[in-house]
Amino acid sequence: MKAKDVLGRKGEELAARYLESVGMLVVERNWRCSDGEIDIVALDGDALVIAEVKTRKNLAYGHPFEAVGKAKLARLHRLGAAWCRDRELRMPLRRVDVISVLDDGVSEPLLEHLRGVG
């Protein structure tokens, strides 16, 4: 497995544990369809949350949040709708959250969570 994939998996694991620690219920991870992948699907009360996790070693290529632009947000909304159709669910309260993980492998990873991004 490539180093970036190992880092990404670690970031997703940290993000899932964080979401659970703040009271969310993680219901699925790494769901895929022909249009793409959802990193984490969670419930925050009665809100369905589609969580995108961006993990980096440092800020050399910009902050991880910068990697989630309008096109990515639109795709995440489409993927959330596809996930609901796949599960035959009608969940009107759907939001997209983005979780940034900075992990240089030495210091404690730094996690930031933006709720309802777009």
Side-chain angles (χ1 to χ4, degrees), residues 2-118:
K2 294 179 181 178
K4 73 174 191 73
D5 295 331
V6 171
L7 181 65
R9 282 185 187 236
K10 182 180 177 187
E12 287 178 11
E13 181 62 32
L14 290 168
R17 284 189 294 192
Y18 162 78
L19 291 175
E20 289 172 341
S21 78
V22 296
M24 292 190 197
L25 174 65
V26 173
V27 295
E28 190 153 358
R29 291 178 55 187
N30 303 113
W31 181 81
R32 289 180 175 84
C33 70
S34 60
D35 290 333
E37 178 184 3
I38 298 173
D39 293 333
I40 298 172
V41 180
L43 292 173
D44 185 9
D46 59 356
L48 180 69
V49 177
I50 305 304
E52 175 72 4
V53 182
K54 291 296 184 186
T55 307
R56 303 283 187 270
K57 287 184 182 180
N58 55 49
L59 298 174
Y61 295 100
H63 193 282
F65 288 145
E66 294 175 44
V68 183
K70 288 181 182 182
K72 180 68 173 182
L73 285 173
R75 171 180 271 173
L76 290 167
H77 280 283
R78 288 192 307 273
L79 288 168
W83 186 89
C84 287
R85 281 191 306 275
D86 188 59
R87 299 295 184 272
E88 298 181 2
L89 298 175
R90 293 180 191 255
M91 303 273 309
L93 298 174
R94 183 172 57 238
R95 72 173 199 251
V96 174
D97 290 5
V98 181
I99 299 169
S100 161
V101 180
L102 287 173
D103 184 2
D104 63 7
V106 178
S107 305
E108 186 72 24
L110 175 63
L111 189 143
E112 294 177 83
H113 180 194
L114 293 179
R115 296 171 183 257
V117 175

